[in-house]
């Protein structure tokens, strides 16, 4: 199965492009000696400064992968040093920041990431300018007129101005995605693993305007009400299959991609799911799990834009996530796509270039 001509735009003379809208966050990653109990002390062994958030990670990863088209960022930052850090990091990577609005009354969003090697990370987050993003501050038609093809929005459930439901049941995210589609862009969406009790309702408002959904198994379970892991933490593959079909039934138009550390399921209307398993990563090789899902998503967007077969996309996406685990920040472990292709060939003997 191929991803189709809907994202190819072969009549265009340029190389297209991807705009990434949503969260732009300065991440301060603290590597700890251990996770202390309340009132105890742990040593900070190392500190790293990075630019994170769904849109920032994905667009930066695309640049690191050597994406051949244009890349742009859209969202909000504050008029502060952290806002300048975000913009300078993106500009240095060759990313257009004309769509980043600078808000004088908000601090740039920032996170303190507490990381214990080999364990899950913990986030302390201030939303700042991200919380002010609304559909009135992002202009997909401008990017469409400039030749961009894909419009990524992430993370839903970490953008209050877009997640909030109105009396008509619509959210700002649903209106923004509708506007992007109307402009001729292919919409791609990611969530964050929020425990908001309204998770299903808020993300559900956007699904009818989503062409491709790229989320992890936890988010798929929360969006659909389906159990995806058992009490021992083992993946329930039958639950993933049910969740994928429910997402398509809720309106996802072209593809619902559910990824977990062990496996990826790609659901498309009228087709059997494509299942791709990953190769386990040695825990001693894991520096941080920050950004692995975003690396997976970036590789998917790359493949969608280039009209690659689904099997190839999933194989390189697994390879991107594995590479990300070796970096301290969300983006510094990502190599050129040629290296991921070699990794995918090693991980999946049936891989075809």
């Amino acid at each position: 199965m191929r991803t189709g001509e809907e994202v190819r735009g072969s009549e265009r003379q340029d190389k297209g492009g991807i705009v990434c809208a949503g969260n732009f966050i300065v991440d301060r990653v603290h590597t700890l000696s251990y996770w202390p109990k309340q009132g105890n002390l742990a040593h900070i062994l190392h500190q790293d400064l990075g630019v994170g958030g769904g849109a920032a990670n994905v667009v930066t990863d695309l640049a690191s992968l050597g994406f051949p088209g244009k890349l742009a960022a859209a969202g909000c930052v504050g008029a502060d040093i952290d806002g300048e850090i975000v913009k300078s990091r993106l500009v240095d990577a060759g990313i257009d920041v004309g769509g980043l609005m600078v808000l004088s009354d908000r601090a740039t969003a920032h996170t303190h990431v507490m990381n214990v090697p080999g364990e899950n990370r913990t986030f302390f987050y201030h939303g700042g300018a991200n919380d002010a993003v609304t559909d009135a501050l992002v202009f997909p038609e401008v990017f469409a007129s400039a030749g961009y093809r894909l419009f990524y929005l992430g993370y839903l459930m970490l953008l209050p101005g877009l997640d909030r439901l109105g009396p008509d049941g619509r959210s700002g995210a649903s209106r923004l995605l509708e506007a992007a589609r109307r402009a001729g862009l292919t919409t791609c969406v990611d969530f964050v693993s929020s425990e908001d009790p309204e998770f299903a309702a808020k993300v559900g408002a956007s699904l009818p305007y989503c062409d491709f959904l790229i989320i992890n198994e936890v988010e798929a379970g929360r969006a659909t009400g389906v159990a995806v892991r058992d009490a021992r933490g083992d993946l329930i593959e039958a639950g993933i299959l049910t969740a994928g079909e429910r997402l398509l039934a809720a309106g996802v138009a072209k593809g619902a991609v559910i990824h977990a550390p062990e496996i990826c399921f790609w659901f498309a209307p009228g087709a059997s799911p494509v299942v791709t398993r990953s190769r386990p990563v040695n825990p001693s090789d894991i520096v941080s799990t920050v950004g692995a899902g975003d690396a997976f998503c970036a590789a998917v967007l790359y493949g969608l834009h280039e009209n690659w077969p689904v099997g190839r996309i999933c194989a390189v996406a697994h390879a991107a996530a594995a590479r990300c685990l070796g970096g301290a920040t969300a983006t510094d472990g990502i190599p050129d796509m040629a290296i991921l292709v070699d990794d995918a060939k090693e991980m999946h003997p049936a891989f075809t270039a």
Side-chain angles (χ1 to χ4, degrees):
M1 181 174 72
R2 298 191 73 85
T3 55
E5 290 72 24
E6 64 270 12
V7 295
R8 183 41 131 169
S10 59
E11 72 280 1
R12 295 185 186 272
Q13 298 302 308
D14 63 5
K15 293 184 178 180
I18 301 173
V19 53
C20 294
N23 298 103
F24 293 88
I25 305 167
V26 170
D27 287 330
R28 291 174 171 84
V29 182
H30 309 280
T31 299
L32 306 181
S33 55
Y34 76 108
W35 187 258
K37 293 181 180 179
Q38 186 173 352
N40 288 354
L41 181 146
H43 288 279
I44 297 174
L45 304 177
H46 187 72
Q47 296 184 79
D48 292 280
L49 180 70
V51 173
N57 289 344
V58 170
V59 76
T60 302
D61 287 346
L62 283 163
S64 297
L65 291 171
F67 176 70
K70 298 185 290 288
L71 293 171
C76 294
V77 295
D80 52 25
I81 186 62
D82 282 350
E84 291 303 316
I85 289 171
V86 171
K87 290 189 293 181
S88 66
R89 291 284 181 97
L90 297 179
V91 168
D92 287 348
I95 297 159
D96 186 334
V97 297
L100 281 182
M101 305 280 287
V102 178
L103 306 181
S104 60
D105 61 340
R106 296 277 184 142
T108 300
H110 53 275
T111 304
H112 291 274
V113 183
M114 304 302 172
N115 176 57
V116 178
E119 300 181 14
N120 280 335
R121 70 281 194 204
T122 302
F123 301 90
F124 297 89
Y125 173 67
H126 174 70
N130 279 346
D131 292 354
V133 178
T134 68
D135 54 302
L137 296 178
V138 181
F139 306 97
E141 67 278 3
V142 173
F143 297 103
S145 65
Y148 289 80
R149 299 178 194 159
L150 269 59
F151 182 87
Y152 162 92
L153 179 62
Y155 310 112
L156 296 193
M157 302 310 298
L158 198 60
L159 292 162
L162 292 176
D163 294 325
R164 194 173 299 114
L165 294 171
D168 59 354
R170 294 291 300 274
S171 65
S174 73
R175 292 190 294 271
L176 178 56
L177 292 167
E178 183 180 30
R181 266 192 180 172
R182 189 166 56 243
L185 297 166
T186 296
T187 58
C188 307
V189 176
D190 191 8
F191 305 156
V192 77
S193 301
S194 164
E195 295 183 0
D196 189 322
E198 293 187 279
F199 188 104
K202 289 179 177 178
V203 301
S206 292
L207 296 181
Y209 308 96
C210 175
D211 292 313
F212 291 96
L213 181 66
I214 308 158
I215 57 175
N216 68 31
E217 83 283 12
V218 174
E219 295 148 4
R222 291 176 184 168
T224 61
V226 177
V228 296
R229 290 196 182 270
D230 62 23
R232 297 179 301 176
D234 293 332
L235 195 69
I236 305 171
E237 293 192 13
I240 298 288
L241 291 169
T242 299
E245 294 303 326
R246 288 189 181 182
L247 291 168
L248 293 181
V252 176
K254 296 173 181 177
V257 186
I258 302 175
H259 58 89
E262 310 94 324
I263 200 167
C264 166
F265 289 79
W266 188 300
F267 300 87
S272 298
V274 175
V275 180
T276 310
R277 298 185 185 277
S278 65
R279 175 184 291 180
V281 176
N282 190 321
S284 65
D285 294 332
I286 298 175
V287 176
S288 171
T289 57
V290 174
D294 297 322
F296 187 101
C297 183
V300 170
L301 296 183
Y302 189 120
L304 284 174
H305 189 280
E306 297 303 292
N307 197 37
W308 287 356
V310 166
R312 185 184 193 201
I313 295 175
C314 294
V316 297
H318 277 308
R323 284 278 179 172
C324 183
L325 297 174
T329 70
T331 57
D332 63 8
I334 305 303
D336 188 83
M337 179 57 78
I339 294 175
L340 291 190
V341 169
D342 288 340
D343 289 350
K345 289 177 181 177
E346 181 179 342
M347 294 166 62
H348 302 275
F351 179 91
T352 55

